[in-house]
Amino acid sequence: MRITESQIYDIATARVMKAREDHAKAAGQVSSGKRIEHVWDDAGDAGMMTRHEQEVGRQTAIMTSASKASDELGAVDTAFGQVIDALSRAREIATQMSNDTYNAADRANAAAEVRSLFASAVAQMNTRFGD
Protein backbone atom coordinates (compact mmCIF):
# COMPACT_ATOMS: atom_id res chain seq x y z
CA MET A 1 0.00 0.00 0.00
CA ARG A 2 1.34 3.31 -1.01
CA ILE A 3 1.06 6.43 1.20
CA THR A 4 0.77 9.55 -0.85
CA GLU A 5 1.96 13.00 0.03
CA SER A 6 -1.66 14.06 0.24
CA GLN A 7 -2.35 11.47 2.95
CA ILE A 8 0.73 12.53 4.89
CA TYR A 9 -0.41 16.14 4.64
CA ASP A 10 -3.94 15.24 5.83
CA ILE A 11 -2.57 13.28 8.81
CA ALA A 12 -0.20 16.11 9.73
CA THR A 13 -3.00 18.66 9.43
CA ALA A 14 -5.30 16.56 11.67
CA ARG A 15 -2.56 16.25 14.29
CA VAL A 16 -1.86 19.98 14.22
CA MET A 17 -5.59 20.72 14.67
CA LYS A 18 -5.78 18.28 17.60
CA ALA A 19 -2.71 19.92 19.17
CA ARG A 20 -4.34 23.36 18.77
CA GLU A 21 -7.54 22.10 20.42
CA ASP A 22 -5.54 20.60 23.31
CA HIS A 23 -3.59 23.86 23.64
CA ALA A 24 -6.78 25.93 23.70
CA LYS A 25 -8.29 23.63 26.33
CA ALA A 26 -5.14 23.80 28.49
CA ALA A 27 -4.98 27.59 28.13
CA GLY A 28 -8.61 27.83 29.20
CA GLN A 29 -7.95 25.70 32.26
CA VAL A 30 -4.92 27.77 33.21
CA SER A 31 -6.70 31.09 32.78
CA SER A 32 -9.83 30.04 34.68
CA GLY A 33 -8.03 27.97 37.30
CA LYS A 34 -10.54 25.18 36.73
CA ARG A 35 -9.70 21.81 35.31
CA ILE A 36 -13.35 20.94 34.79
CA GLU A 37 -15.47 23.59 33.12
CA HIS A 38 -18.33 21.32 32.03
CA VAL A 39 -19.63 17.94 33.15
CA TRP A 40 -18.48 16.35 29.90
CA ASP A 41 -14.86 17.37 30.57
CA ASP A 42 -14.57 14.56 33.16
CA ALA A 43 -17.82 12.91 34.25
CA GLY A 44 -16.24 11.00 37.14
CA ASP A 45 -14.62 14.05 38.69
CA ALA A 46 -17.73 16.13 38.04
CA GLY A 47 -19.76 13.56 39.99
CA MET A 48 -17.28 13.76 42.85
CA MET A 49 -17.52 17.54 42.81
CA THR A 50 -21.30 17.33 43.00
CA ARG A 51 -21.11 14.95 45.95
CA HIS A 52 -18.58 17.24 47.63
CA GLU A 53 -20.84 20.27 47.17
CA GLN A 54 -23.76 18.31 48.65
CA GLU A 55 -21.60 17.28 51.61
CA VAL A 56 -20.52 20.88 52.16
CA GLY A 57 -24.18 21.93 52.19
CA ARG A 58 -25.03 19.16 54.65
CA GLN A 59 -22.14 20.08 56.94
CA THR A 60 -23.14 23.75 56.81
CA ALA A 61 -26.70 22.85 57.84
CA ILE A 62 -25.36 20.73 60.71
CA MET A 63 -23.09 23.56 61.87
CA THR A 64 -25.97 26.04 61.73
CA SER A 65 -28.22 23.72 63.76
CA ALA A 66 -25.46 23.04 66.28
CA SER A 67 -24.82 26.76 66.66
CA LYS A 68 -28.51 27.46 67.27
CA ALA A 69 -28.70 24.61 69.79
CA SER A 70 -25.61 25.93 71.57
CA ASP A 71 -27.13 29.42 71.78
CA GLU A 72 -30.35 27.97 73.17
CA LEU A 73 -28.49 25.89 75.74
CA GLY A 74 -26.54 28.98 76.76
CA ALA A 75 -29.78 30.85 77.39
CA VAL A 76 -31.19 27.91 79.40
CA ASP A 77 -27.97 27.68 81.43
CA THR A 78 -28.13 31.39 82.25
CA ALA A 79 -31.79 31.15 83.30
CA PHE A 80 -31.15 28.09 85.47
CA GLY A 81 -28.16 29.81 87.07
CA GLN A 82 -30.33 32.76 88.05
CA VAL A 83 -33.05 30.45 89.42
CA ILE A 84 -30.45 28.60 91.50
CA ASP A 85 -29.11 31.92 92.81
CA ALA A 86 -32.64 33.01 93.79
CA LEU A 87 -33.33 29.71 95.55
CA SER A 88 -30.00 29.90 97.39
CA ARG A 89 -30.82 33.41 98.58
CA ALA A 90 -34.29 32.28 99.70
CA ARG A 91 -32.70 29.45 101.70
CA GLU A 92 -30.29 31.94 103.32
CA ILE A 93 -33.20 34.18 104.27
CA ALA A 94 -35.18 31.25 105.71
CA THR A 95 -32.20 30.14 107.81
CA GLN A 96 -31.50 33.70 108.93
CA MET A 97 -35.12 34.40 109.89
CA SER A 98 -35.33 31.23 112.01
CA ASN A 99 -33.29 33.09 114.64
CA ASP A 100 -35.31 34.65 117.46
CA THR A 101 -33.41 37.94 117.30
CA TYR A 102 -35.45 39.24 114.36
CA ASN A 103 -38.70 41.14 114.96
CA ALA A 104 -41.91 41.19 112.91
CA ALA A 105 -40.78 44.10 110.72
CA ASP A 106 -37.55 42.23 109.80
CA ARG A 107 -39.58 39.12 108.96
CA ALA A 108 -42.00 41.18 106.84
CA ASN A 109 -39.08 42.65 104.89
CA ALA A 110 -37.62 39.15 104.45
CA ALA A 111 -40.99 37.87 103.23
CA ALA A 112 -41.15 40.69 100.67
CA GLU A 113 -37.67 39.76 99.46
CA VAL A 114 -38.64 36.07 99.19
CA ARG A 115 -41.75 37.03 97.16
CA SER A 116 -39.51 39.06 94.86
CA LEU A 117 -37.10 36.13 94.55
CA PHE A 118 -40.03 33.81 93.75
CA ALA A 119 -41.30 36.18 91.05
CA SER A 120 -37.78 36.43 89.61
CA ALA A 121 -37.43 32.61 89.55
CA VAL A 122 -40.79 32.19 87.82
CA ALA A 123 -39.84 34.83 85.24
CA GLN A 124 -36.54 33.05 84.56
CA MET A 125 -38.31 29.70 84.13
CA ASN A 126 -40.66 31.34 81.61
CA THR A 127 -37.77 32.78 79.58
CA ARG A 128 -38.21 32.42 75.82
CA PHE A 129 -35.37 32.14 73.36
CA GLY A 130 -36.04 32.83 69.71
CA ASP A 131 -39.39 31.38 68.68
Side-chain angles (χ1 to χ4, degrees):
M1 177 172 166
R2 185 173 161 217
I3 299 177
T4 64
E5 288 182 23
S6 174
Q7 289 173 325
I8 293 172
Y9 178 78
D10 290 342
I11 292 170
T13 302
R15 287 184 180 172
V16 168
M17 293 302 292
K18 174 69 172 131
R20 284 185 180 171
E21 288 175 13
D22 291 346
H23 176 265
K25 182 178 177 182
Q29 289 175 353
V30 168
S31 66
S32 70
K34 297 179 182 177
R35 187 174 69 84
I36 299 173
E37 292 279 335
H38 308 285
V39 174
W40 55 83
D41 290 341
D42 189 341
D45 285 348
M48 289 178 65
M49 286 173 35
T50 302
R51 278 191 300 252
H52 176 70
E53 289 171 359
Q54 289 172 346
E55 184 63 21
V56 167
R58 191 175 78 80
Q59 292 296 328
T60 301
I62 289 171
M63 286 175 48
T64 301
S65 296
S67 176
K68 287 180 182 179
S70 178
D71 292 345
E72 187 172 342
L73 287 173
V76 168
D77 187 47
T78 300
F80 278 159
Q82 291 176 357
V83 168
I84 289 170
D85 291 345
L87 292 174
S88 295
R89 177 65 183 141
R91 182 186 306 172
E92 289 173 9
I93 292 171
T95 303
Q96 188 178 6
M97 290 299 124
S98 65
N99 190 336
D100 290 339
T101 59
Y102 292 99
N103 60 29
D106 293 333
R107 288 192 171 96
N109 288 337
E113 185 178 352
V114 168
R115 279 191 293 277
S116 173
L117 290 170
F118 177 76
S120 172
V122 169
Q124 288 303 318
M125 289 187 284
N126 287 328
T127 299
R128 292 185 59 99
F129 180 81
D131 293 333

